[in-house]
Amino acid sequence: MSGKNIGGRSSDMKEVLLHIGIHKTGSSSIQESLKGYADQTTRSASFQEVNHSIPMTTIFSKNRYDYHIWRKLGLSRSEVEGKRAEYLDILEKDISDNRHERLIISGEDMSTLYEEEKRDLISFFRTHGLNVRVFTFVRDPQDFAASSIQEHIKGGAKSLPKISTRYRVRLDEFRKGLPADCLIVRDFQKTISEFGDISTGFAKIVGLDIKSPVRANESLSSAATKLIYRLNKLPINTFGSRQRVGARSRVMALLANEFRQEDGGRLDRNMLSMALSPAENDEISYLNSEFGIAYPKVSEAEDVQGVEEYLDDLSDLDVSRLHKIAHLIGAPVETSDSIDNLLISIYMRALISGGLRLEDADMLRDLAMRMEISADFDLSDAYKLMLLARRARPDGPLILKKVEQYEHRLAERRGRS
């Protein structure tokens, strides 16, 4: 590994427990319950982030500069290296804590490290004299598919990949590199059935005293998921700066709150499972043979395109509720606005409320110019965006020229009406 020397030194800490997810198995709830946790023998890592995926991936992944978290925030290589140095310093202090015997680190992205990186991860702790134990939940691939697709969409996906749990890739290096009793694999749904919720189940299994279980994240409704997917496909960049990401998060929260599952409908689990690759049956066999966990085989009739068409279908959407969101945040919209126009207006209003930056001017200008020649948008929509571009860059010559052109054309149109 490159960077700061991570050679060994003695520590009173005896063991590290790595909770590696897997994705879509209640990790967020477990991480919330572990935040600031400490008892007489065990403590949680003291990273500022509740999800330790971010620091652990930044420390151990050789592709840390392309990590999706930093890429979406637009961090440079030097900024990522600065983050890594900070995280590594925190980790080394944690494993030198002489008040506790066990450290818990929870981050599902540790399961996605490459084989060599997983070996580096294990070696790092062993070099410091620590026993390494790994814990993970797994779930039925059909349930995983529905949850994973939602996560892809929330993360900005414009199209869907073939879905796979990749259990062998996630687990096998730990299986080969650790004693059998140091890799604990449990079924997600059975744990909830036994203990009532996933945080309590995790705590009981690994011996923690968590008083108040944290409620699992509620899944998005069908309507909210489809609208976020539509937002992803619009010609606007909702990533690349903290302001854009913040505006995106606010819009997703507004959509999730307005279109709840009880009235926005649930996603069709059987339909979403059609995005599973037929090779998923090999993953099911792997879990059964190595860990004794059995799941039903999945259909061989993969149909990712059918899933795409299902998610693109907004024909039964109550558009008035988008108008309600627009009114709530003060977005300028018209009664006749399309779903695309409404989403763009809502996002742009959320972006403005967080403060426009100079670099936002290019995105707004280019989008306005595409809308100008598109049959799907009105010139007045392009004008609104160009005014926002002028607000972000008041002295931009092309922006000023286009504002003048739009005002002239709109005035001519009003004169003809």
Side-chain angles (χ1 to χ4, degrees):
M1 296 180 63
S2 61
K4 184 176 177 180
N5 181 359
I6 56 174
R9 64 171 181 266
S10 62
S11 170
D12 290 336
M13 187 78 68
K14 293 180 174 60
E15 179 176 279
V16 60
L17 174 63
L18 304 176
H19 168 240
I20 63 167
I22 289 175
H23 294 81
K24 315 319 301 171
T25 56
S27 296
S28 296
S29 298
I30 292 170
Q31 289 155 5
E32 284 292 338
S33 70
L34 289 174
K35 185 178 180 180
Y37 180 84
D39 59 28
Q40 290 185 334
T41 61
T42 303
R43 58 162 295 188
S44 178
S46 54
F47 299 117
Q48 181 178 358
E49 292 84 355
V50 175
N51 186 344
H52 301 157
S53 290
I54 299 172
M56 295 300 286
T57 301
T58 305
I59 293 172
F60 291 99
S61 173
K62 292 178 173 58
N63 293 327
R64 65 184 72 95
Y65 310 113
D66 197 41
Y67 187 36
H68 66 95
I69 298 293
W70 305 137
R71 188 175 67 249
K72 288 174 181 176
L73 291 176
L75 266 61
S76 67
R77 292 174 70 93
S78 62
E79 288 173 318
V80 173
E81 279 300 323
K83 291 281 189 182
R84 180 178 185 268
E86 292 174 11
Y87 291 145
L88 186 53
D89 184 60
I90 292 170
L91 181 59
E92 290 190 321
K93 288 178 180 176
D94 278 351
I95 61 178
S96 298
D97 182 358
N98 59 13
R99 298 167 299 173
H100 297 89
E101 297 181 355
R102 181 171 63 162
L103 180 71
I104 296 185
I105 301 173
S106 176
E108 54 271 39
D109 285 352
M110 286 187 284
S111 71
T112 65
L113 292 171
Y114 291 127
E115 291 182 359
E116 180 184 353
E117 295 164 352
K118 288 172 182 169
R119 290 194 291 270
D120 286 342
L121 175 67
I122 294 170
S123 177
F124 171 79
F125 292 112
R126 284 179 170 170
T127 302
H128 287 78
L130 300 180
N131 181 48
V132 179
R133 290 170 67 86
V134 172
F135 184 102
T136 188
F137 288 110
V138 294
R139 69 187 300 182
D140 184 328
Q142 294 189 59
D143 292 329
F144 176 90
S147 191
S148 180
I149 285 172
Q150 279 203 0
E151 200 63 26
H152 278 290
I153 290 172
K154 287 192 288 186
K158 299 175 186 294
S159 60
L160 297 182
K162 293 180 181 180
I163 302 297
S164 174
T165 57
R166 301 175 69 239
Y167 285 137
R168 183 187 296 271
V169 170
R170 294 173 189 267
L171 298 178
D172 215 42
E173 193 58 41
F174 293 120
R175 183 188 66 82
K176 292 185 291 187
L178 297 171
D181 64 345
C182 288
L183 175 57
I184 306 166
V185 181
R186 294 295 184 94
D187 176 73
F188 173 71
Q189 197 58 53
K190 286 183 179 178
T191 301
I192 292 177
S193 298
E194 181 178 354
F195 296 100
D197 67 87
I198 202 65
S199 299
T200 299
F202 174 78
K204 295 294 185 183
I205 293 168
V206 303
L208 303 180
D209 184 22
I210 293 177
K211 301 295 185 184
S212 302
V214 178
R215 184 181 179 184
N217 291 337
E218 184 176 329
S219 296
L220 292 171
S221 69
S222 173
T225 303
K226 290 181 177 184
L227 284 168
I228 294 169
Y229 194 42
R230 187 60 193 162
L231 175 67
N232 295 347
K233 295 185 175 188
L234 294 176
I236 53 177
N237 184 2
T238 60
F239 295 105
S241 72
R242 287 182 172 84
Q243 286 74 17
R244 292 181 192 177
V245 173
R248 176 184 175 83
S249 297
R250 186 180 180 198
V251 171
M252 290 198 300
L254 288 165
L255 292 172
N257 184 65
E258 179 60 30
F259 296 91
R260 295 179 180 273
Q261 279 198 351
E262 54 265 29
D263 50 16
R266 291 181 178 272
L267 287 164
D268 186 333
R269 172 184 178 272
N270 291 330
M271 170 58 74
L272 297 186
S273 71
M274 299 303 290
L276 282 167
S277 165
E280 187 61 33
N281 287 318
D282 294 335
E283 306 297 330
I284 292 171
S285 297
Y286 171 76
L287 281 185
N288 194 18
S289 63
E290 296 296 341
F291 307 106
I293 297 175
Y295 292 128
K297 296 289 186 178
V298 303
S299 170
E300 297 286 336
E302 175 191 330
D303 186 13
V304 177
Q305 183 178 348
V307 179
E308 291 263 13
E309 292 172 356
Y310 165 71
L311 291 170
D312 284 336
D313 182 9
L314 289 166
S315 59
D316 60 349
L317 183 78
D318 182 356
V319 180
S320 68
R321 301 176 73 172
L322 275 181
H323 281 274
K324 179 180 175 182
I325 294 174
H327 177 73
L328 178 67
I329 66 171
V333 295
E334 303 291 339
T335 305
S336 59
D337 277 348
S338 66
I339 291 173
D340 288 359
N341 272 348
L342 288 165
L343 287 172
I344 289 173
S345 295
I346 290 167
Y347 177 77
M348 291 305 172
R349 182 60 188 173
L351 182 63
I352 294 169
S353 66
L356 285 171
R357 296 176 53 160
L358 187 62
E359 56 264 35
D360 293 324
D362 290 342
M363 177 191 71
L364 293 164
R365 179 201 64 206
D366 294 345
L367 176 57
M369 292 173 68
R370 285 196 293 270
M371 293 174 72
E372 175 188 359
I373 60 175
S374 172
D376 297 326
F377 297 95
D378 188 79
L379 181 63
S380 61
D381 299 315
Y383 177 59
K384 292 174 189 175
L385 288 186
M386 199 62 78
L387 289 177
L388 293 178
R390 186 179 68 180
R391 182 170 173 177
R393 185 183 293 153
D395 57 351
L398 179 56
I399 293 172
L400 294 174
K401 179 181 177 181
K402 297 303 291 186
V403 167
E404 184 178 354
Q405 286 180 359
Y406 292 168
E407 288 177 342
H408 179 70
R409 290 169 59 185
L410 288 169
E412 284 187 333
R413 192 167 70 180
R414 285 194 296 271
R416 292 193 299 268
S417 60

